[in-house]
Amino acid sequence: MSGLWNGWGLAFRFLVFPGFLFSVVVGLVLTWVDRFVSARVQWRKGPPFYQPFADLAKLLLKQTIVPKGAAASVFLLAPLLGFAAMCITSVLLFYVNFHLQGSFVGDLIVLVYLFALPPLGLILGASASRNPLAAVGASREMTLYFGYELPFLLALVVPIVKSGGAIRLGDIIAAQQVSGPFLYSVSGVIAGLIVLVTIQAKLGNVPFDMAEAEQEIMSGVYCEYSGAALAIFRLTRAMMFFLLPLFLVTVLWGGLADWWAIPKALAIVVLLILMRNTNPRLRVDQALRFFWFFLGSFGIIAVILAFLRL
Amino acid sequence: MSKLGLWGLKKSPWVYHVAAASCNNCDIEILELLTPRYDVERFGIVLVGSPRHADALLVTGVLNRKSLPRVMEVYEQAAKPCLVIGIGTCTCNNHIFMHSYNAMGPYDKYLPMHAYIPGCPPKPEAMILGVVKALSKL
């Protein structure tokens, strides 16, 4: 924990390598993969690979409008909340995966909380913007958040049970290195599918994009955002698109300290894209019912199976 | 705007569709332009839901006394720089509504127009050409 973990080394880790710059660049490239695969599914050519970077350059240099009557400080600081959380998440995830002893007690729970901050920032920002459509979007985002958090936590109980009650990510990864990834078992498969669907909801992709429905509530939560603030929301989303599959690989599919982690994460990303392209948007009550009663009961079954060592 | 921002603007113009008072035919042609057949996402063009995100407003239809304040309001809400592109002959010279009592057009009396795309309705190819010409003048 010395050397690179103080001063300039820490700054480098947060700003450049596993942190901000690296996850932003990889996340933006994955955003391009998303648009490219969607284009191929729709039988067209799709944008060039620099498209997300062009979008970002344009947004960062455009005018940022604060609507009249909005709480300006909350409106402008809300995007940074999720963004900062994703920077910390990337550093933590990479550090834990490559230094198993450096993991601390409860970092799994810390990561769950950090992944809850981007929707929180979205809700705060949309509520501060004094726009009725954004308020509708914020209320939908809140409902959706309460919906997906229950099956997500139930699915995360499975690796905890299977690793013998460890809530340190390092212990979970070490247990997988001894006995093989948790995904290769019945409860592991169920938990993996639940986490996959939950990732889709956390990203706000198509079956669960009712919070930012362009066609009905004019981009909902993003409605009043323009310029740099919108760019930061897009950056946060790109980082989540990179980090959430890595989180799934970490807790259920054997950790990242292995070259196989790259095709595994890519496979999860492609599954997310295909799910996005083959499903229509759900209503928010349908999504809530789906998460609580359908995925929730599957989550309980997965936990029971994990206790039975299946 | 800086060189990088100009590059970004040219590579990803997000469009917002403002139907001022059209007969719906130009709107249908715009929707056709956005279908996979023409695949304008190759050029980074995406239809966005809110004028705050827009880089180009596609206005259609004849400007009249009722729609003028609405169109002006949408233009004021858009983050600048923002192109305004008039689609259809109605936007150029009021077309068949020329002698009507409530036609207020053409648009450039009120808004900084960057391109007019004539046609009743214009073909999607004509719209692509018009947008390219508007962008190359930036």
Side-chain angles (χ1 to χ4, degrees), chain A residues 35 39 42-48 50-51 53-59 61-68 214-215 218-219 222-227 230 234, chain B residues 1-2 4-9 11-14 16 35-36 39 41-55 76-82:
Chain A
R35 290 172 73 170
Q42 295 163 7
W43 211 250
R44 58 193 171 86
K45 195 165 173 294
Y50 57 76
Q51 189 59 54
F53 298 95
D55 289 350
L56 206 69
K58 178 201 73 180
L59 281 177
L61 293 162
K62 272 193 83 161
Q63 186 189 10
T64 306
I65 300 172
V66 178
K68 194 176 161 190
E214 283 115 5
Q215 294 88 349
M218 294 171 72
S219 304
Y222 301 115
C223 186
E224 287 291 333
Y225 277 102
S226 58
L230 182 63
R234 289 179 69 87
Chain B
M1 213 174 183
S2 71
L4 182 68
L6 200 60
W7 172 78
L9 189 66
K11 291 294 178 189
S12 77
W14 293 355
Y16 180 74
T35 52
D39 187 21
E41 208 189 350
R42 280 179 297 172
F43 313 118
I45 300 175
V46 181
L47 186 70
V48 292
S50 164
R52 297 265 192 233
H53 308 173
D55 304 303
E76 280 159 15
Q77 283 177 352
K80 310 292 176 298
C82 181

Side-chain angles (χ1 to χ4, degrees), chain A:
Chain A
M1 291 290 275
S2 61
L4 268 177
W5 277 92
N6 43 42
W8 291 111
L10 199 62
F12 179 80
R13 293 204 172 206
F14 270 97
L15 293 177
V16 187
F17 178 53
F20 165 66
L21 204 62
F22 173 69
S23 53
V24 161
V25 169
V26 179
L28 286 176
V29 171
L30 285 181
T31 314
W32 168 74
V33 171
D34 177 15
R35 290 172 73 170
F36 183 76
V37 174
S38 302
R40 284 300 153 98
V41 170
Q42 295 163 7
W43 211 250
R44 58 193 171 86
K45 195 165 173 294
F49 79 95
Y50 57 76
Q51 189 59 54
F53 298 95
D55 289 350
L56 206 69
K58 178 201 73 180
L59 281 177
L60 281 174
L61 293 162
K62 272 193 83 161
Q63 186 189 10
T64 306
I65 300 172
V66 178
K68 194 176 161 190
S73 52
V74 180
F75 182 76
L76 292 176
L77 286 176
L80 294 173
L81 186 65
F83 187 61
M86 285 303 108
C87 289
I88 301 168
T89 307
S90 60
V91 176
L92 198 60
L93 210 53
F94 273 90
Y95 183 73
V96 164
N97 268 290
F98 291 99
H99 306 82
L100 293 186
Q101 300 309 315
S103 170
F104 56 89
V105 176
D107 49 3
L108 183 66
I109 297 165
V110 171
L111 278 182
V112 168
Y113 272 92
L114 287 174
F115 280 127
L117 282 180
L120 187 66
L122 213 53
I123 292 165
L124 278 177
S127 311
S129 72
R130 197 177 166 270
N131 182 318
L133 296 170
V136 172
S139 94
R140 289 184 186 187
E141 177 79 37
M142 228 181 293
T143 316
L144 188 66
Y145 173 74
F146 286 123
Y148 62 64
E149 210 61 7
L150 173 75
F152 184 60
L153 293 178
L154 277 174
L156 289 185
V157 172
V158 171
I160 294 174
V161 170
K162 287 177 94 71
S163 62
I167 49 171
R168 291 172 73 228
L169 273 179
D171 291 349
I172 291 175
I173 298 162
Q176 294 186 76
Q177 282 169 352
V178 174
S179 64
F182 296 148
L183 194 69
Y184 305 149
S185 64
V186 182
S187 59
V189 168
I190 298 173
L193 286 176
I194 291 171
V195 176
L196 191 71
V197 177
T198 317
I199 287 174
Q200 190 80 335
K202 276 179 186 289
L203 287 166
N205 273 347
V206 159
F208 311 109
D209 72 330
M210 60 292 274
E212 44 156 319
E214 283 115 5
Q215 294 88 349
E216 36 176 314
I217 51 170
M218 294 171 72
S219 304
V221 280
Y222 301 115
C223 186
E224 287 291 333
Y225 277 102
S226 58
L230 182 63
I232 292 175
F233 271 132
R234 289 179 69 87
L235 277 181
T236 310
R237 187 134 151 212
M239 290 167 90
M240 284 173 85
F241 199 44
F242 171 52
L243 293 171
L244 281 166
L246 289 192
F247 179 67
L248 175 51
V249 171
T250 306
V251 292
L252 283 167
W253 211 351
L256 301 178
D258 182 5
W259 287 110
W260 276 106
I262 297 169
K264 282 172 184 172
L266 270 179
I268 292 166
V269 167
V270 169
L271 274 179
L272 291 173
I273 297 167
L274 291 180
M275 205 197 297
R276 185 182 105 109
N277 275 295
T278 48
N279 284 291
R281 179 185 306 141
L282 293 174
R283 277 201 319 264
V284 70
D285 61 319
Q286 289 171 332
L288 193 67
R289 197 169 302 136
F290 172 73
F291 277 122
W292 276 8
F293 298 113
F294 187 73
L295 284 190
S297 42
F298 267 103
I300 292 167
I301 292 170
V303 171
I304 293 168
L305 288 176
F307 271 114
L308 299 174
R309 296 180 183 284
L310 277 172

